[in-house]
Amino acid sequence: MKILFVASECAPFAKTGGLGDVVGALPKALAAAGLDVRVVLPLYAGIDWNALERLEGTLGVPMWSGTAWCGVRLGRLPGSRVPVYFLDHRHYFDRPYLYGTPGEGYADNLERFSFLSRGALELCKALGWIPDVLHAHDWQAALAPVYLNTVEWAQPLHGTASVYSIHNLSYQGVFDPGAMPVTALGWEHFHDHAFEHFGTLNLTKAALYHSTLLSTVSPTYAREVQTSAYGAGLDGVLRERSGDLHGILNGIDVVEWDPAADPRLPAHFAAHDLSGKRACKAALQREAGLPERPEVPVFALVGRLVAQKGIDVLAQILPHVLDWDLQVVLLGTGEPDAERYLAWLASQRPDRLRAWIGFDDARAHRIEAGADFFLMPSRFEPCGLNQMYSLRYGTLPIVRATGGLADSVQGYEQASGEGTGFVLHDLTPDSLGDTIGWALATWYQRPAHVAAMRVRAMRQDFSWERAASAYGELYRTAYARRRGHAFPG
Ligand code: ADP
């Protein structure tokens, strides 16, 4: 089966978040399962152009203003044979940022990503490689399924089914309605069952109506986005397509995140022998300038210090929590107020709290390895990676029951000792404080439960193979829906 990925990010070439991780990892797992997967990506500044093979000729892409010409370069996903085609259009993509300066998108983003989606389809035709399924990711690729149903109708790509994946519904690709002609589609498409959304032009909405099937990155998030609390204004559309919307939990990179071999760690460990974790904890306490006390639990948080992550709620309860016999280490960047407050609080409580404001991947690994509990009280969380890294490193997550957190962490049952973490439901300072207190009490009063949960947590399977087999099923369903018969073979 031939699958075309269209996306604006793909690790390690270009990444600003979880989208890049998925597009960098999932194609490899699909290829290992026997699918012919190829990825189309913009050639951004910062990608090592010289390491890529330059394909002969130029590709003409029909745009609203006429044909745009680009070169095509070919690379491979590291550690695999998966081809990645880079569309080389300097004016659109040779810029300091992927999407624009922080907080503000480039003024021509609609044109840039129309080019990506349309260019991906033109590339297939130029290669003579017609995909069975096009898999488009987030709003930057949202026009690709729309083009399949419109400009490609009765063309070579008319039989290609489409799957549209939502990685984070907060970003929808919303533009001024007057920009509709930039898509190179007629005004007849600007209506309530395609682009028009309360007077704006919304690319995600168009993809939700035009794609054969829809997916998002966890089963719980798939249900939540159909509610007004989480649907970011598109819950009505998602409810209409409820039967076609599937939630598939992301995997994690189990090679990068392997406590038995992680080169960033001072010691290694595994589920059958946790002695290395004690050494990692001592090293973390030293690195944080906290008292080196093995008997005191270390609670950690790594991530963006923003409201999505519940950081405001944590900030409210943290001064009280720091009165208990525990230690807290934080690593993150985000809203300036949160950064300032946490740095200030750490300066007041240097014996209990260390706050690193910054982005530091190696330190994130050392924190996951050295901590006992991991805080993730998110308001919403499409999938979330850190809770899965934590589980793999035997660090018990404390999470709010939302999105991928609810799907990856089993709440502790005090009577039986079952579970892999601590789950709270209401996102309030009291509820978070109570849950941290519950974890603390379990640490001191039921250490056997903590030890058993750790081993259970470390034995969970979050590999991409599991996710890839679910996507494989989805592609087959999409194919059958589009073509009216099952995929042969
Ligand atoms: P999101 O994509 O919403 O930010 P995830 O949990 O899905 O949240 O992924 C966050 C990723 O970014 C993880 O790999 C995490 O380790 C990393 N990360 C976030 N902030 C930092 C930081 N300050 N330093 C190092 N790594 C970070």
Side-chain angles (χ1 to χ4, degrees):
M1 185 179 255
K2 298 192 284 292
I3 310 293
L4 177 73
F5 271 54
V6 185
S8 60
E9 299 188 20
C10 175
F13 302 109
K15 167 183 161 176
T16 67
L19 166 66
D21 286 319
V22 175
V23 179
L26 177 57
K28 289 199 260 189
L30 291 165
L35 285 80
D36 176 2
V37 192
R38 308 187 186 191
V39 182
V40 179
L41 206 68
L43 185 64
Y44 298 108
I47 294 174
D48 183 5
W49 303 11
N50 296 321
L52 306 171
E53 179 190 343
R54 201 183 185 305
L55 299 191
E56 259 180 52
T58 47
L59 186 70
V61 181
M63 298 287 289
W64 71 309
S65 49
T67 303
W69 297 93
C70 70
V72 180
R73 291 186 187 237
L74 174 62
R76 308 269 166 191
L77 280 181
S80 79
R81 300 291 304 152
V82 173
V84 184
Y85 297 95
F86 295 88
L87 302 185
D88 181 1
H89 192 293
R90 307 279 158 100
H91 169 67
Y92 288 145
F93 300 122
D94 187 11
R95 302 186 186 185
Y97 296 94
L98 268 56
Y99 309 127
T101 48
E104 202 175 341
Y106 289 125
D108 59 349
N109 269 350
L110 180 59
E111 185 172 335
R112 296 171 78 223
F113 292 106
S114 299
F115 174 81
L116 171 66
S117 295
R118 194 83 190 258
L121 305 187
E122 291 304 320
L123 176 69
C124 291
K125 290 188 276 185
L127 294 172
W129 182 84
I130 302 302
D132 296 304
V133 181
L134 179 148
H135 191 167
H137 298 265
D138 268 356
W139 71 263
Q140 295 89 344
L143 281 164
V146 184
Y147 289 141
L148 283 183
N149 280 359
T150 51
V151 293
E152 292 299 332
W153 199 250
Q155 298 293 315
L157 286 159
H158 78 278
T160 298
S162 55
V163 171
Y164 181 73
S165 284
I166 299 167
H167 295 265
N168 189 337
L169 197 55
S170 314
Y171 308 101
Q172 300 181 358
V174 177
F175 298 93
D176 186 282
M180 185 65 202
V182 176
T183 62
L185 294 169
W187 281 101
E188 70 274 20
H189 298 289
F190 190 75
H191 57 74
D192 188 35
H193 274 60
F195 287 95
E196 194 277 329
H197 191 54
F198 293 102
T200 66
L201 188 162
N202 187 312
L203 298 190
T204 297
K205 185 174 186 182
L208 294 181
Y209 276 117
H210 276 278
S211 302
T212 315
L213 291 178
L214 309 173
S215 82
T216 184
V217 290
S218 70
T220 298
Y221 193 60
R223 286 191 297 276
E224 288 173 338
V225 291
Q226 300 177 50
T227 66
S228 57
Y230 293 86
L234 291 178
D235 44 293
V237 183
L238 287 156
R239 277 196 301 278
E240 267 184 58
R241 297 218 54 195
S242 188
D244 299 330
L245 172 61
H246 300 258
I248 300 174
L249 194 70
N250 285 339
I252 57 171
D253 187 329
V254 293
V255 176
E256 274 295 294
W257 294 87
D258 179 4
D262 189 335
R264 306 160 194 85
L265 304 185
H268 294 128
F269 55 96
H272 63 269
D273 178 9
L274 280 155
S275 54
K277 188 165 173 75
R278 286 194 282 281
C280 289
K281 176 171 175 177
L284 177 63
Q285 288 173 320
R286 279 197 298 280
E287 183 177 348
L290 296 168
E292 204 179 312
R293 295 174 61 199
E295 75 282 9
V296 172
V298 175
F299 290 71
L301 181 144
V302 178
R304 296 181 291 122
L305 307 175
V306 298
Q308 182 199 330
K309 302 291 176 183
I311 202 75
D312 50 325
V313 177
L314 178 67
Q316 287 181 64
I317 198 66
L318 201 51
H320 307 284
V321 166
L322 290 172
D323 288 337
W324 301 334
D325 201 11
L326 50 67
Q327 298 177 348
V328 180
V329 294
L330 308 175
L331 168 64
T333 57
E335 280 155 20
D337 280 352
E339 292 184 356
R340 265 195 302 274
Y341 174 74
L342 293 169
W344 172 82
L345 191 62
S347 73
Q348 302 300 299
R349 304 301 301 267
D351 56 325
R352 298 243 163 108
L353 172 63
R354 179 69 199 247
W356 285 293
I357 305 302
F359 193 99
D360 185 338
D361 180 58
R363 179 168 279 155
H365 284 248
R366 293 195 297 273
I367 292 175
E368 291 285 10
D372 297 299
F373 298 99
F374 193 91
L375 296 161
M376 220 160 154
S378 302
R379 275 203 164 72
F380 68 95
E381 196 64 75
C383 176
L385 295 171
N386 274 316
Q387 81 282 9
M388 292 192 270
Y389 300 151
S390 302
L391 290 163
R392 202 160 149 74
Y393 280 59
T395 300
L396 302 180
I398 297 174
V399 302
R400 181 160 169 266
T402 184
L405 300 175
D407 295 326
S408 54
V409 180
Q410 299 154 241
Y412 173 54
E413 299 280 347
Q414 193 166 313
S416 63
E418 285 299 308
T420 57
F422 294 81
V423 176
L424 63 137
H425 292 271
D426 301 333
L427 188 58
T428 62
D430 283 346
S431 169
L432 179 56
D434 287 349
T435 310
I436 294 173
W438 189 27
L440 186 68
T442 306
W443 171 268
Y444 283 117
Q445 293 161 18
R446 292 176 295 279
H449 281 186
V450 172
M453 285 167 85
R454 265 194 175 149
V455 172
R456 205 175 292 128
M458 293 181 76
R459 295 209 163 121
Q460 306 281 307
D461 175 14
F462 294 119
S463 66
W464 275 106
E465 283 72 48
R466 178 197 45 78
S469 96
Y471 279 105
E473 275 304 303
L474 195 64
Y475 298 150
R476 284 173 172 275
T477 309
Y479 180 96
R481 177 80 66 85
R482 184 79 169 191
R483 302 281 266 266
H485 60 84
F487 181 73

